[in-house]
Amino acid sequence: MDAIRKRLPFAGYSEAYALPNIIRCEANLYLAQFAFMKLLPAKFIIEQALARGTLTHGMKVLETSSGTFALGLAVVCRGGGFQLEIFTDPVMDKGLENRLNSLGVDVCIITEKAREGGYQRSRLDALHARMKQLGHSCFLPRQYETPDNPAAYKLFADQISGMLDADVTLVGSVGSGGSTCGTIERLRQKAPGARLIGVDTFNSVIFGQQDGERKLRGLGNSLVPKNVKHELYDEVHLISAPLAFAATRTLHERHAVFAGPTSGASYIVGRWRARQYPGETVVVICPDEGHRYVETAYDDEWLRQNGCLHEGALLDTPSSEEHPSTALPPWNRYLWKRKSREAVLSLLEEV
C-alpha cells in the first residue's frame, strides 16, 4: 500500500479522495467505497495532458458532464489555475451546480434534447461548437473516449490485488466505462480469470436497450461510449430506479455505508453474486458518498413524488431474459460472456 501511495498523482489533495476504503460486509463480499471516485480520472487525465503538452497554461478546459466528473475536473482545474466550462442539462442537481459555481466553473445548461442521443448528443454538439470558437486555445478531456480514463484505475486495481488478490469478481456501474474496464484490465494482467459484472439501468443504450427516460443517474447513457469495452464483461445486470434507491437505503441501514444510488444498484447485484458463488471474492465499486442524495434517495417524500418509492423487501433474485433489449424492470441479469456488443445485438434477429 505504501508503494501505491508514493505513486499517487495527487499532490496537494487529501489521500482520502484518492483510493477507497475496502469494507468487508459479508464473508466474501467487499465494498470499495470512494469518497469521490471521479477525482481519480479527472486528475490523471489533466496530468497526462500537461505531460504531453496537449494542455498548457492559458488554455480553457471544456467537458460535458452532469455528475461528479464535472466536480472532479472543477477541483483539479481550480488547483491548477485553469478555466473550466461544463456543458450539462437540466438533470444536474442544484447542489452540484452550486459547488461548480463556487469553484469558478462556467456551467452551460443545454435545455433541448437531440432527436437521437437525447441530452447527451445535444451537450456534445454544444461542446463541439464552443471548441470551434476557441480553436487551439481549449482542451477537451473526453472522458467517454480517452484511454487515460480507464488507465487512471490501475492504482485502484493494484489496491485490490494487494489487499485481496487479483482473482476477484468486480461489480460496478457503467457510465463512461472507465472504472469497470480500466480496473478489470489491470486485474486480468495478474489473474486472467477475474470476472466483471456491469450494472446498468433500463432505457440505457449501452448494452442494447432502447433509449428513454432514466430516473437513476450516474450510470447508463443515451450514446455508447468508446471506453465501454463490451468484450470485458461476463455479465450485465439492469436495475430499476426504485430498486436501486431501496438498495441504497439498505446499504446504509445494514452496513452504515452512506453512498449514492449507483452504489446501491451495484450492492444488490454484488450481494446476490456473493451468495450464489460463495467461493468467489466479490468487490463492489461504490463511487461516492451519499451527501448529494439526502433530499432524493434518502427522502421518502421525494421518492414517492417521483414514483421511485420501493415497496416491500428487496428482491433476492434477478430475472433472466434471452436478450438485453427485452429485459424488463425491476432487475434483469444477462450472461454477456465477454462478447462484443455487435455479437450480442445480432442475436436479436434470432430471438
Side-chain angles (χ1 to χ4, degrees):
M1 184 60 64
D2 289 339
I4 293 174
R5 287 197 177 99
K6 288 178 182 178
R7 288 156 45 205
L8 285 173
F10 279 84
Y13 295 91
S14 170
E15 285 190 6
Y17 290 106
L19 291 172
N21 290 321
I22 305 297
I23 303 166
R24 185 180 188 181
C25 60
E26 292 187 11
N28 62 325
L29 177 62
Y30 294 83
L31 305 179
Q33 189 188 21
F34 286 85
F36 185 4
M37 186 180 76
K38 289 301 182 76
L39 185 57
L40 190 63
K43 188 73 161 57
F44 189 78
I45 290 169
I46 294 298
E47 286 193 339
Q48 292 300 305
L50 286 168
R52 297 183 186 116
T54 53
L55 173 62
T56 58
H57 287 283
M59 295 175 69
K60 179 171 283 191
V61 179
L62 310 179
E63 183 60 295
T64 170
S65 173
S66 61
T68 52
F69 185 69
L71 186 59
L73 281 177
V75 170
V76 174
C77 288
R78 184 75 169 187
F82 294 100
Q83 288 185 301
L84 172 65
E85 287 187 28
I86 290 293
F87 293 82
T88 187
D89 58 70
V91 77
M92 178 179 282
D93 63 87
K94 190 62 179 179
L96 178 56
E97 184 182 351
N98 289 342
R99 290 184 71 180
L100 293 175
N101 288 331
S102 74
L103 290 166
V105 179
D106 292 327
V107 180
C108 181
I109 299 177
I110 307 302
T111 57
E112 293 186 13
K113 285 185 179 181
R115 288 187 177 181
E116 293 185 9
Y119 280 125
Q120 284 171 316
R121 170 50 60 192
S122 57
R123 279 162 35 185
L124 283 169
D125 289 344
L127 177 84
H128 291 145
R130 180 62 169 149
M131 180 182 65
K132 288 181 180 179
Q133 287 180 345
L134 294 175
H136 296 295
S137 63
C138 67
F139 169 74
L140 278 64
R142 302 180 190 272
Q143 65 158 323
Y144 295 112
E145 56 189 82
T146 176
D148 289 335
N149 181 357
Y153 291 93
K154 290 180 180 179
L155 290 169
F156 172 45
D158 290 347
Q159 180 190 21
I160 292 173
S161 60
M163 295 181 68
L164 301 174
D165 191 14
D167 187 15
V168 300
T169 299
L170 183 71
V171 181
S173 58
V174 185
S176 70
S179 60
T180 50
C181 293
T183 305
I184 200 65
E185 283 185 310
R186 179 68 167 181
L187 290 172
R188 285 179 181 165
Q189 291 176 3
K190 300 179 180 179
R195 298 152 295 278
L196 176 61
I197 300 178
V199 180
D200 199 1
T201 190
F202 296 91
N203 298 329
S204 164
V205 305
I206 296 177
F207 294 101
Q209 287 257 303
Q210 291 294 311
D211 187 30
E213 181 184 2
R214 297 185 297 276
K215 293 184 178 179
L216 183 59
R217 310 303 300 185
L219 73 171
N221 215 303
S222 294
L223 301 170
V224 181
K226 291 183 180 179
N227 273 332
V228 177
K229 298 180 181 180
H230 294 81
E231 64 277 9
L232 296 177
Y233 295 88
D234 296 286
E235 291 184 15
V236 173
H237 289 241
L238 303 179
I239 301 290
S240 70
L243 184 57
F245 288 132
T248 304
R249 301 277 288 267
T250 300
L251 182 58
H252 190 216
E253 293 162 4
R254 294 186 181 178
H255 305 292
V257 173
F258 184 47
T262 53
S263 300
S266 296
Y267 162 68
I268 191 173
V269 173
R271 186 183 71 168
W272 174 83
R273 180 76 185 197
R275 293 176 179 180
Q276 290 291 118
Y277 299 90
E280 295 180 2
T281 298
V282 179
V283 179
V284 175
I285 300 175
C286 297
D288 63 355
E289 295 177 334
H291 305 289
R292 285 180 59 207
Y293 316 100
V294 170
E295 297 180 354
T296 54
Y298 292 93
D299 187 313
D300 285 350
E301 185 57 32
W302 183 92
L303 293 172
R304 189 177 293 107
Q305 290 177 358
N306 286 272
C308 291
L309 186 61
H310 180 81
E311 303 291 346
L314 285 184
L315 296 177
D316 288 325
T317 304
S319 60
S320 295
E321 287 295 320
E322 294 295 326
H323 192 276
S325 66
T326 60
L328 295 173
W331 180 6
N332 190 86
R333 174 198 185 204
Y334 183 77
L335 296 177
W336 195 268
K337 297 182 178 179
R338 304 192 190 185
K339 295 189 289 288
S340 70
R341 186 173 188 272
E342 291 72 24
V344 172
L345 296 189
S346 66
L347 296 175
L348 183 58
E349 300 175 359
E350 304 173 15
V351 175

